Amino acid sequence: MTKVIGGWWLVAGTNQSPTTVHQPPTTTMITRLARKKFTEMIRDGRSRWVAAIILTLLTVSLQFRPVEDATPFVRFGELTAATMLQVLWPLLIILLGYNAFAGEREGGTLRQLLRLGISKTQLTLGKAQGASNLVPQAPRHVVATVGHTF
Amino acid sequence: MLEAINLTKAYNGTKALDALNLKIEPSEVFCLLGANGAGKTTTISLFLNFIEPTSGTAKIKGLDVTTQPLETKRHIAYIPEQVMLYKNLTGLENLEYFSALAGHDQYSRAELLGFFDQVGLQREAAEKRVGTYSKGMRQKVGIAIALAKQAEALLLDEPTSGLDPKASNEFSELLKKLSSKGVAVLMATHDLFRAKESGTRVGMMRHGKLMTTLKTEEIGHADLERIYLEHMHD
């Protein structure tokens, strides 16, 4: 078990003062939390489905001519690219973010995290940032441009 | 390193832990033995500050865990009976993430894999998502996370549950090595054999009280079992 790299820490450990506890700056920590949250969201099967649905609707909406195809249902919102981005994109974020804490608590990983000695504030900020990565600045301009074109 | 002073925890008047006095020095491996509900897990949870003591104090490196919860947690690593990980991430990503949050974001990939070698997790497995892992493999990732934290004290609650005999033997060896480096270990276990093998002292608990402590070098395997059964008798 300890033949090759096995003992490296034990060797390295001797040079290290046992009282030093490294604590990276809060911002690094938050970025780390955010990055992991993002990776997890990308790998989550549900988020892929939702993204696929939104993309499909977005494609459909680009073919759609409001004036020609108008029906009484138009009062519920037009099927335009702008509506898609304005209404469904935030929904996607809510869908992916709602279990940021509840999910960790249920999976038991929340305790594991708090055991490490990180504060709840850092955890919250990191998660918020991770979710907000899904709302880059670009879509807003896309909404504006696409909205005016169609 | 770890110190309990008259540590007491009562749930609705029932004492889960009754005036525990215990001091674990660096390099010591203290094994807590006792039936279910004897107060072993309660003791560990109190050190982790997951529950508030009814009276008494738990100290890590001389710091009270209730007044300095974040600081004290940085000195310890904990391995629970059921290690909980992120299913969508691989074993390696889990290790990397938890180590980084514990303040060790300097590890290279080879170093992280080195921790898995130490705990006996195959390299191919390290690249797979944790959702596909068996309990023993998750346990190994938990041990690797604790190792990577380079803590001065380890709190272990049935850490070898779900490990095969070989892995569990390797874990004992790892504990011995850590203790020779000055790490203090508090381990709750049901495994008398392991307690004798890797422990320097054993403590027997019953109904929240620490009945007796023994040095493992002074007793044999058979004696330990006999003494244990004597104490567990009503």
Side-chain angles (χ1 to χ4, degrees), chain B:
Chain B
M1 193 65 231
L2 297 171
E3 195 179 4
I5 305 157
N6 280 322
L7 197 59
T8 304
K9 177 68 189 178
Y11 292 104
N12 303 323
T14 320
K15 281 182 176 169
L17 190 66
D18 195 355
L20 174 76
N21 281 295
L22 182 67
K23 202 167 180 185
I24 302 167
E25 303 293 344
S27 291
E28 261 194 307
V29 180
F30 192 96
C31 297
L32 276 178
L33 298 170
N36 302 103
K40 304 186 298 292
T41 304
T42 306
T43 310
I44 290 179
S45 302
L46 284 165
F47 271 111
L48 288 164
N49 194 34
F50 280 162
I51 47 176
E52 290 269 321
T54 311
S55 65
T57 39
K59 286 182 176 177
I60 293 166
K61 277 195 108 182
L63 303 171
D64 190 330
V65 296
T66 51
T67 54
Q68 278 155 298
L70 290 183
E71 176 65 21
T72 50
K73 279 197 195 80
R74 280 173 201 150
H75 296 295
I76 52 171
Y78 169 68
I79 305 173
E81 193 179 349
Q82 295 270 355
V83 175
M84 295 302 193
L85 302 162
Y86 297 101
K87 292 189 189 74
N88 278 337
L89 302 183
T90 67
L92 192 65
E93 283 166 339
N94 267 287
L95 174 63
E96 201 255 339
Y97 178 64
F98 280 112
S99 312
L101 290 186
H104 296 282
D105 47 3
Q106 79 279 17
Y107 290 133
S108 68
R109 196 189 139 80
E111 284 170 334
L112 291 170
L113 285 169
F115 288 118
F116 282 139
D117 287 347
Q118 287 194 59
V119 298
L121 187 81
Q122 284 84 10
R123 295 215 164 187
E124 314 85 83
E127 302 283 357
K128 289 207 181 100
R129 292 203 193 170
V130 168
T132 64
Y133 281 22
S134 71
K135 175 161 190 308
M137 284 157 84
R138 281 205 303 273
Q139 213 60 21
K140 286 175 180 178
V141 176
I143 301 168
I145 291 171
L147 269 185
K149 198 176 177 189
Q150 304 193 10
E152 293 154 74
L154 282 180
L155 294 170
L156 314 171
D157 193 358
E158 296 274 340
T160 51
S161 85
L163 289 187
D164 58 68
K166 180 170 170 282
S168 153
N169 173 55
E170 284 173 349
F171 181 68
S172 290
E173 292 298 318
L174 201 59
L175 277 189
K176 277 184 197 159
K177 248 191 298 170
L178 290 175
S179 112
S180 74
K181 287 288 163 191
V183 175
V185 182
L186 173 62
M187 171 161 78
T189 182
H190 288 298
D191 193 337
L192 294 178
F193 179 77
R194 285 283 154 236
K196 161 79 181 121
E197 279 292 293
S198 47
T200 54
R201 279 199 295 162
V202 292
M204 294 183 191
M205 291 187 83
R206 186 159 178 258
H207 300 325
K209 285 201 179 77
L210 185 63
M211 311 293 281
T212 183
T213 59
L214 301 161
K215 285 208 165 84
T216 50
E217 56 190 21
E218 289 167 6
I219 46 164
H221 282 291
D223 296 333
L224 183 63
E225 186 166 23
R226 185 179 48 77
I227 298 167
Y228 177 82
L229 291 174
E230 271 170 22
H231 279 285
M232 292 307 123
H233 236 270
D234 278 306

